[in-house]
Amino acid sequence: MPTEPLPAFDPERFRREGRAVVDWIADYWQTVADRPVQSSVDPGWVRSQLPAHPPEQPEPLAAVLADLDHVIVPGLTHWQHPGFFAYFPASASGPSILGELLSAGMGVQGMLWATSPACTELETHVLDWLRELLGLPDRFASTGVGGGVIHDSASSGLLCAVVAARERALQCSRVEETVVGRPEQRQPLVGYTSAAAHSSIEKGLGIAGIDRQWLRKIETNDRGELDADRLAARMDADARNGMIPFFVAATVGTTSSGAFDAVPLIAAATRRHNAWLHVDAAWAGAAAICPELRGGIVAGAEAADSWGFNPHKWLLVNFDCHTLWVADRRPFVRALSMKPDYLRNAATESGSVIDYSDWQVPLGRRFRALKLWMTLRMIGAAALRQRIRDHVAWAAEFADWVRADRRFELLAEPSLSLVAFGLRAGDEATAALLDRVNRSGRVLLSPARVGGRHALRLAVGGTLTRREDVETAWREISRLA
Amino acid sequence: MPTEPLPAFDPERFRREGRAVVDWIADYWQTVADRPVQSSVDPGWVRSQLPAHPPEQPEPLAAVLADLDHVIVPGLTHWQHPGFFAYFPASASGPSILGELLSAGMGVQGMLWATSPACTELETHVLDWLRELLGLPDRFASTGVGGGVIHDSASSGLLCAVVAARERALQCSRVEETVVGRPEQRQPLVGYTSAAAHSSIEKGLGIAGIDRQWLRKIETNDRGELDADRLAARMDADARNGMIPFFVAATVGTTSSGAFDAVPLIAAATRRHNAWLHVDAAWAGAAAICPELRGGIVAGAEAADSWGFNPHKWLLVNFDCHTLWVADRRPFVRALSMKPDYLRNAATESGSVIDYSDWQVPLGRRFRALKLWMTLRMIGAAALRQRIRDHVAWAAEFADWVRADRRFELLAEPSLSLVAFGLRAGDEATAALLDRVNRSGRVLLSPARVGGRHALRLAVGGTLTRREDVETAWREISRLA
């Protein structure tokens, strides 16, 4: 064991160790398909393998890599396994991993334009590129008063949209006293989403101080889509009763069954009350890069105040990478900007730059645009489209196999690459099957509730997943049913 | 230009390209000292060098690396430059960069224990290690009802503490109607911090719906420390007037001058009102690994509900890495947990595991513990302590040089590795000097306001910074004064 302190950054050592880590990762990807998808360790096992106290003296990389193999990897559920069909996959790619490495290696922090102009400008630029690829309306381009920003997750993007919406609503109401958290406030701010919307919406509103009772979870129709007529009626009734409808979250591709809310109809109701319209396209958004799939995804976006999706789900950018566009950045900045003396600088004061810390919760920020830029450049839009088309086709095939087996039924029509299905024998049988399938180690699915029924969800999207892995999944599911 | 779609992850290609990127980073670190610290590009220059439209077809890594050299690097302000003394440095290290690479390479997502047990358990374990190194009280250990969690930034950790405090206050008040954002609420929740506290406290409270008027920025004494007597008097008066003092943020090491609030005195006032006490030790916290520096940093921590610092500032972990400890995780989880059907799993239901998505804003999470673990193991606690001691000694030497030059004056006593100073000639001269120094390209400082005066801040902490770089900084500053 060396007893001399090592330099914190020794270039020659970094070259050597960097190669070893790159090789470790390549080996991991080459062998991941041979491992069980899901870790089977018991709670506490990983910790039981680690020393109780921190190391005083440095240890070599080899010791760390040995522990990765013997302690960490057995404790992983392998999100990059070709048999991972759970949640929504978090697909990584070589270029995006290298982008993350470069971001860590440069070690710049882009809280202000001035603290690394390239960190800000590449982000603005690549989000304009991505807007174009998705066919999102011009209002989200940075050339006007809108623009895009990278967040860690859809939850964080949503929270910022809620805070900006709250700011705008309280300003528009022109009643100085109606500020959230002020006891003088007589009119509650009310948010709306569908009963099938993601939990991050309730969480984000709650964090922003909008209590659960002021979130209306509007019923869905039998396809899992928010019922726009009920929404309009509820907003009207709330306004009549002296409340302020201030925020509506529509979902394009629900988590459970992939339902698409009718954003144009929702937008009409939202506009009448001057509420903020946020579109959560976290998973499905990526498919808008294919013109033939785009229609239902971007419909109504021209009326949205904010629109977000996760390139880390289905666009080969490693987690974390959520992209959010806003039609007007001014309420965003008003709600989130803080410029104490120690952040003052000439560029900010000139008004000619974006300071992305004004668009997010944290002050500091990584250079996340690198990985998105490298993924787009080194894979190219054409190949990204082809992958999405393949996945949609494989999910449709899988749905056909489900339909053709009379023990099973689809619980919703397949949506893009997502299939929700169950056993006709009922909820208990479906839950038991999920358990057996996941224990098999070859396939990982996740549960959901669709139309009041227990469902199995199969989401195609893994980086290594091929058509034959979808076939294997069906064979396993069918065998274990 | 290749027209065939490339595989998203080709192991042999990854090995080759990974080596090239590792070498690029090593070269970058070997040459960064020769570059100007601060980018001098004009707003829009970086974007003007990039294609207007996204690429359809894949481009080779070499094209990306060429653009890094010619477009991105000129647009960087080099946070890893040895002459970077601005803000607080975000010090990276070889081991932490490789930890980030491994996290991206494994591509697991640890929102639940079940979605990768090792991701959760390594984090809990390493935060127990770090608690021990810092000498934080046992109540923050995961063996009891407390424990640690990694966030991206101090701002995000603070926001979660505010939300948990709000939850606890509203529950303790036992008045079902007093929920934030409910117009029936008659008693405002009031937060407290010092006038010298970081802007993230006002931002976090604001996001949580606690309006600015309900944040008391208590005056500081002439050393920049929160005046605990004034705090106590204000809390008492607010409570007498029917308000609910619910949250106090003490600062250990203020951003402007490194002042240490007297946490034990603040704790006494806080406890009387059953308010939540959060300690923001974002920068200074790292120095608690040195027993001789620990006293003022952890004093009073045994009365804190939450305590956080940033290993990414001064502990060689690349940005982002904020570590937060809570004494009781239950109000945290109550305030932040959401478990819809699609996240249900047996481990969560057993109650025997931590699901870290219940401790943060986002649902998803990266495997950040890897980089902290690798930094602690591959550098070792002894070398981390030595670095901090060196930096504190160099800052003290710098302060002596300032004292010895009658054109200058210290605007506060040096605190650990931070020196705030100015020109006796006054604010305008100091601001002009900052501008000249930063344009020199050899040194980067940032501004602050200390005791009502314009100050220059020199924060030692860069990975590559040696004693001679601090000396060079003084020579430049002195020459340009």
Side-chain angles (χ1 to χ4, degrees):
Chain A
M1 216 67 117
T3 53
E4 281 301 292
L6 299 164
F9 194 96
D10 171 331
E12 294 318 317
R13 184 177 168 212
F14 184 77
R15 288 178 210 273
R16 199 170 58 243
E17 293 181 343
R19 273 166 213 184
V21 169
V22 164
D23 282 336
W24 189 94
I25 293 169
D27 293 344
Y28 173 77
W29 282 71
Q30 281 183 305
T31 56
V32 67
D34 308 329
R35 303 179 192 277
V37 193
Q38 190 175 35
S39 173
S40 59
V41 300
D42 288 326
W45 182 84
V46 172
R47 294 198 63 177
S48 74
Q49 304 300 304
L50 299 168
H53 301 287
E56 271 300 303
Q57 298 303 330
E59 298 175 52
L61 176 66
V64 172
L65 295 181
D67 281 351
L68 287 183
D69 291 331
H70 301 122
V71 181
I72 302 301
V73 169
L76 297 182
T77 289
H78 301 285
W79 284 65
Q80 306 307 323
H81 191 291
F84 188 100
F85 299 99
Y87 311 108
F88 289 114
S91 58
S93 64
S96 73
I97 296 167
L98 298 180
E100 191 79 85
L101 170 58
L102 278 164
S103 169
M106 289 180 194
V108 303
Q109 202 269 62
M111 58 184 172
L112 305 172
W113 179 88
T115 63
S116 257
C119 182
T120 294
E121 294 199 14
L122 187 67
E123 183 162 330
T124 307
H125 200 78
V126 172
L127 267 74
D128 277 355
W129 277 6
L130 196 50
R131 181 201 68 77
E132 183 183 326
L133 285 174
L134 296 164
L136 282 175
D138 288 347
R139 67 198 312 240
F140 294 121
S142 69
T143 39
V145 295
V149 60
I150 303 181
H151 280 238
D152 55 0
S153 67
S155 306
S156 299
L158 178 280
L159 172 59
C160 292
V162 167
V163 171
R166 195 183 66 187
E167 170 82 11
R168 195 177 74 176
L170 296 173
Q171 200 171 61
C172 291
S173 68
R174 297 188 183 287
V175 185
E176 211 184 291
E177 298 299 295
T178 59
V179 175
V180 174
R182 288 186 63 163
E184 299 90 339
Q185 185 194 334
R186 306 303 307 155
Q187 297 176 275
L189 298 173
V190 184
Y192 303 80
T193 196
S194 105
H198 193 266
S199 58
S200 58
I201 293 166
E202 181 172 334
K203 183 165 173 173
L205 284 162
I207 289 171
I210 311 297
D211 190 61
R212 189 167 307 180
Q213 69 170 313
W214 302 119
L215 169 60
R216 312 294 190 213
K217 294 182 181 173
I218 306 294
E219 278 177 60
T220 58
N221 62 22
D222 56 7
R223 292 185 306 278
E225 304 154 3
L226 187 152
D227 183 324
D229 289 338
R230 281 181 203 258
L231 170 71
R234 192 65 198 257
M235 292 181 86
D236 292 346
D238 285 341
R240 272 197 310 276
N241 288 322
M243 302 166 193
I244 306 175
F246 87 112
F247 184 80
V248 178
T251 308
V252 169
T254 59
T255 307
S256 297
S257 68
F260 283 40
D261 290 346
V263 181
L265 299 180
I266 291 169
T270 305
R271 198 181 302 114
R272 219 165 46 240
H273 295 281
N274 197 29
W276 184 286
L277 177 57
H278 175 75
V279 178
D280 172 8
W283 155 68
I289 66 170
C290 302
E292 77 279 15
L293 301 173
R294 179 176 299 159
I297 300 172
V298 306
E302 68 284 353
D305 295 288
S306 50
W307 199 102
F309 91 107
N310 293 339
H312 68 233
K313 282 197 163 70
W314 201 13
L315 219 56
L316 291 175
V317 182
N318 71 294
F319 188 86
D320 48 6
C321 184
H322 170 70
T323 47
L324 178 74
W325 288 266
V326 293
D328 185 348
R329 54 192 182 238
R330 291 166 300 184
F332 235 76
V333 172
R334 251 195 327 268
L336 294 165
S337 178
M338 301 284 296
K339 288 286 162 59
D341 293 304
Y342 44 84
L343 299 180
R344 290 245 169 107
N345 69 90
T348 297
E349 276 150 33
S350 77
S352 61
V353 300
I354 286 175
D355 290 330
Y356 272 127
S357 54
D358 297 348
W359 300 44
Q360 62 176 22
V361 171
L363 172 59
R365 61 201 326 268
R366 304 193 339 268
F367 196 168
R368 279 202 192 86
L370 279 173
K371 62 187 181 184
L372 180 53
W373 183 54
M374 287 175 65
T375 302
L376 292 176
R377 286 186 70 179
M378 294 176 63
I379 294 178
L384 291 170
R385 282 189 208 100
Q386 189 53 53
R387 275 189 84 247
I388 283 174
R389 288 172 182 142
D390 287 345
H391 293 176
V392 171
W394 302 340
E397 277 191 273
F398 183 91
D400 286 341
W401 300 328
V402 173
R403 272 195 204 94
D405 186 323
R406 56 203 181 104
R407 295 171 300 168
F408 287 91
E409 62 184 320
L410 291 176
L411 294 177
E413 278 305 297
S415 172
L416 300 172
S417 62
L418 178 66
V419 186
F421 61 106
L423 283 168
R424 290 188 193 273
D427 282 0
E428 259 181 65
T430 299
L433 175 59
L434 175 69
D435 206 47
R436 283 197 302 278
V437 168
N438 287 351
R439 276 178 209 271
S440 77
R442 304 185 65 179
V443 180
L444 195 72
L445 307 177
S446 51
R449 189 170 284 272
V450 177
R453 300 271 306 276
H454 274 318
L456 305 181
R457 286 172 72 264
L458 176 118
V460 183
T463 303
L464 297 180
T465 300
R466 298 151 307 172
R467 183 185 170 284
E468 64 199 78
D469 298 302
V470 179
E471 229 180 324
T472 302
W474 172 247
R475 259 205 313 276
E476 278 294 287
I477 294 163
S478 174
R479 183 177 70 83
L480 292 166
Chain B
M1 216 66 116
T3 53
E4 279 301 291
L6 298 165
F9 194 96
D10 171 330
E12 295 317 317
R13 184 177 169 212
F14 183 78
R15 287 178 209 274
R16 199 170 59 243
E17 294 181 342
R19 272 164 214 184
V21 169
V22 164
D23 283 336
W24 190 94
I25 293 170
D27 293 344
Y28 174 77
W29 282 70
Q30 282 184 305
T31 55
V32 67
D34 308 329
R35 303 179 191 277
V37 193
Q38 190 175 36
S39 173
S40 59
V41 300
D42 288 326
W45 181 83
V46 172
R47 295 198 62 177
S48 74
Q49 305 300 304
L50 299 168
H53 302 286
E56 271 299 304
Q57 299 303 329
E59 297 174 53
L61 177 66
V64 172
L65 295 181
D67 281 351
L68 287 183
D69 291 332
H70 301 123
V71 180
I72 301 300
V73 169
L76 298 181
T77 289
H78 301 286
W79 284 65
Q80 306 307 323
H81 192 292
F84 187 100
F85 298 99
Y87 311 108
F88 289 114
S91 57
S93 63
S96 74
I97 295 167
L98 298 180
E100 191 79 87
L101 170 58
L102 277 164
S103 168
M106 289 180 194
V108 303
Q109 202 269 61
M111 59 184 171
L112 305 171
W113 179 89
T115 62
S116 256
C119 181
T120 294
E121 295 199 13
L122 188 67
E123 183 162 330
T124 308
H125 200 77
V126 173
L127 267 75
D128 277 355
W129 278 6
L130 196 50
R131 182 200 68 77
E132 183 182 326
L133 285 174
L134 296 165
L136 282 175
D138 287 347
R139 67 198 311 240
F140 294 121
S142 70
T143 40
V145 295
V149 61
I150 303 180
H151 279 239
D152 55 359
S153 67
S155 306
S156 299
L158 179 281
L159 172 59
C160 292
V162 168
V163 171
R166 195 183 67 186
E167 170 80 13
R168 195 177 75 176
L170 296 173
Q171 200 171 62
C172 290
S173 68
R174 297 187 183 286
V175 186
E176 211 184 291
E177 299 299 296
T178 58
V179 174
V180 175
R182 290 185 63 163
E184 299 89 341
Q185 185 194 332
R186 305 304 306 156
Q187 298 175 274
L189 297 174
V190 184
Y192 303 81
T193 196
S194 104
H198 193 267
S199 59
S200 58
I201 293 167
E202 181 172 335
K203 183 165 172 172
L205 284 162
I207 288 171
I210 312 297
D211 190 62
R212 189 167 306 181
Q213 67 170 313
W214 303 119
L215 169 60
R216 312 295 190 213
K217 293 182 181 174
I218 307 293
E219 279 176 60
T220 57
N221 62 23
D222 57 7
R223 293 185 305 279
E225 304 154 2
L226 187 153
D227 183 324
D229 289 337
R230 281 182 204 259
L231 170 72
R234 192 66 199 256
M235 291 181 86
D236 292 346
D238 285 341
R240 273 198 309 275
N241 289 322
M243 302 165 193
I244 305 175
F246 87 112
F247 184 81
V248 178
T251 308
V252 169
T254 59
T255 306
S256 297
S257 68
F260 282 40
D261 290 346
V263 181
L265 300 180
I266 292 170
T270 305
R271 198 181 302 113
R272 220 167 44 240
H273 294 281
N274 197 29
W276 184 286
L277 177 58
H278 175 76
V279 178
D280 172 7
W283 155 68
I289 66 170
C290 302
E292 77 280 14
L293 301 174
R294 179 176 300 159
I297 300 172
V298 306
E302 68 283 354
D305 295 287
S306 50
W307 198 100
F309 90 107
N310 293 339
H312 68 234
K313 283 198 161 70
W314 201 12
L315 219 55
L316 291 175
V317 182
N318 70 294
F319 188 87
D320 48 4
C321 185
H322 171 70
T323 47
L324 178 74
W325 287 269
V326 294
D328 185 347
R329 56 191 180 239
R330 291 166 299 185
F332 236 76
V333 171
R334 253 198 321 271
L336 294 165
S337 178
M338 300 284 297
K339 287 287 162 58
D341 294 304
Y342 43 84
L343 298 179
R344 289 245 169 109
N345 68 91
T348 297
E349 276 150 33
S350 77
S352 61
V353 299
I354 287 174
D355 291 329
Y356 273 128
S357 54
D358 297 348
W359 300 44
Q360 63 175 23
V361 172
L363 173 58
R365 59 202 328 266
R366 307 196 333 270
F367 197 168
R368 279 201 192 86
L370 280 173
K371 62 186 180 185
L372 181 54
W373 183 56
M374 287 175 65
T375 302
L376 292 176
R377 286 186 69 178
M378 294 175 63
I379 293 178
L384 290 171
R385 282 189 209 101
Q386 190 52 52
R387 276 188 84 246
I388 284 174
R389 286 173 182 140
D390 287 346
H391 293 176
V392 171
W394 302 340
E397 278 191 274
F398 183 92
D400 286 341
W401 300 329
V402 173
R403 272 195 204 94
D405 187 322
R406 59 208 177 100
R407 295 170 300 167
F408 286 90
E409 63 184 319
L410 291 177
L411 294 177
E413 280 304 297
S415 172
L416 300 172
S417 63
L418 179 66
V419 186
F421 61 106
L423 284 168
R424 290 187 194 273
D427 281 0
E428 258 181 67
T430 299
L433 175 59
L434 175 69
D435 206 47
R436 283 197 301 278
V437 168
N438 287 352
R439 276 178 210 271
S440 77
R442 304 185 63 179
V443 180
L444 195 71
L445 306 177
S446 52
R449 188 170 286 272
V450 177
R453 300 269 306 275
H454 274 317
L456 305 181
R457 286 171 73 263
L458 175 119
V460 184
T463 303
L464 297 179
T465 301
R466 299 152 307 171
R467 184 184 169 285
E468 64 199 78
D469 298 302
V470 179
E471 229 179 324
T472 302
W474 172 247
R475 259 205 314 275
E476 277 295 287
I477 294 163
S478 174
R479 183 177 70 82
L480 293 166

